[in-house]
């Protein structure tokens, strides 16, 4: 299994946004959308601000593959759904810590969207 390098983790974790381009069923990439990304240890996680209605999320969940760009890092990734409550608790905290300056109107939906948590695994 491929893992993130320390440099990749640091650069992505320090960036405010990540460009997410999940792979469609026909093999092409969906147009990139900017989303928030958080780090927990040696892992990176994303969630859908629009919950399960988010278009990029529905595509990512269906294909489990895509491409991300953030902090100068450009990678093909696998999306792994995360249902573990302890990991989701830590991801909640990471969102509040990293993005709290944007206020509850933005952070609240991200914390509420626990069911859309995806782990980014480099390929």
């Amino acid at each position: 299994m491929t893992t993130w390098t320390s440099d990749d983790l640091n650069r992505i974790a320090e960036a405010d946004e990540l460009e997410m381009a999940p792979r469609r069923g026909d093999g092409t990439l969906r147009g990139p959308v900017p989303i928030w990304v958080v780090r927990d240890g040696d892992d990176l996680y994303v969630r859908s601000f629009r919950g399960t209605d988010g278009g990029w999320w529905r595509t990512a969940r269906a294909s489990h593959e895509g491409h991300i760009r953030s902090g100068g890092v450009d990678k093909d990734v696998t999306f792994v759904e995360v249902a573990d409550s302890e990991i989701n608790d830590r991801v909640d905290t990471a969102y509040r810590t990293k993005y709290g300056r944007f206020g509850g109107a933005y952070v609240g939906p991200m914390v509420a969207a626990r069911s859309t948590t995806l782990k980014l695994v480099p390929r």
Side-chain angles (χ1 to χ4, degrees):
M1 174 190 257
T2 305
T3 59
W4 295 106
T5 66
S6 292
D7 184 54
D8 288 348
L9 285 168
N10 290 333
R11 291 165 65 185
I12 293 171
E14 290 171 8
D16 271 342
E17 293 183 329
L18 173 144
E19 289 185 14
M20 163 68 68
R23 192 166 304 282
R24 296 181 181 115
D26 67 3
T28 62
L29 291 175
R30 183 184 160 99
V33 295
I35 63 171
W36 287 353
V37 58
V38 295
R39 178 179 179 178
D40 177 48
D42 291 337
D43 296 314
L44 297 167
Y45 297 92
V46 295
R47 288 180 176 167
S48 170
F49 181 83
R50 299 184 194 282
T52 56
D53 292 332
W56 73 261
W57 182 82
R58 290 193 318 262
T59 303
R61 185 173 183 230
S63 69
H64 295 277
E65 292 183 10
H67 191 86
I68 61 102
R69 188 174 306 151
S70 180
V73 177
D74 211 326
K75 289 271 188 192
D76 287 326
V77 294
T78 298
F79 305 116
V80 178
E81 295 179 51
V82 178
D84 184 289
S85 63
E86 290 182 17
I87 292 173
N88 271 301
D89 288 346
R90 293 194 307 269
V91 171
D92 289 351
T93 300
Y95 271 108
R96 288 184 182 111
T97 301
K98 183 174 180 182
Y99 296 107
R101 68 186 187 277
F102 293 102
Y106 294 99
V107 177
M110 298 305 290
V111 172
R114 292 170 63 110
S115 65
T116 67
T117 304
L118 297 174
K119 178 179 172 182
L120 305 178
V121 179
R123 296 190 304 151

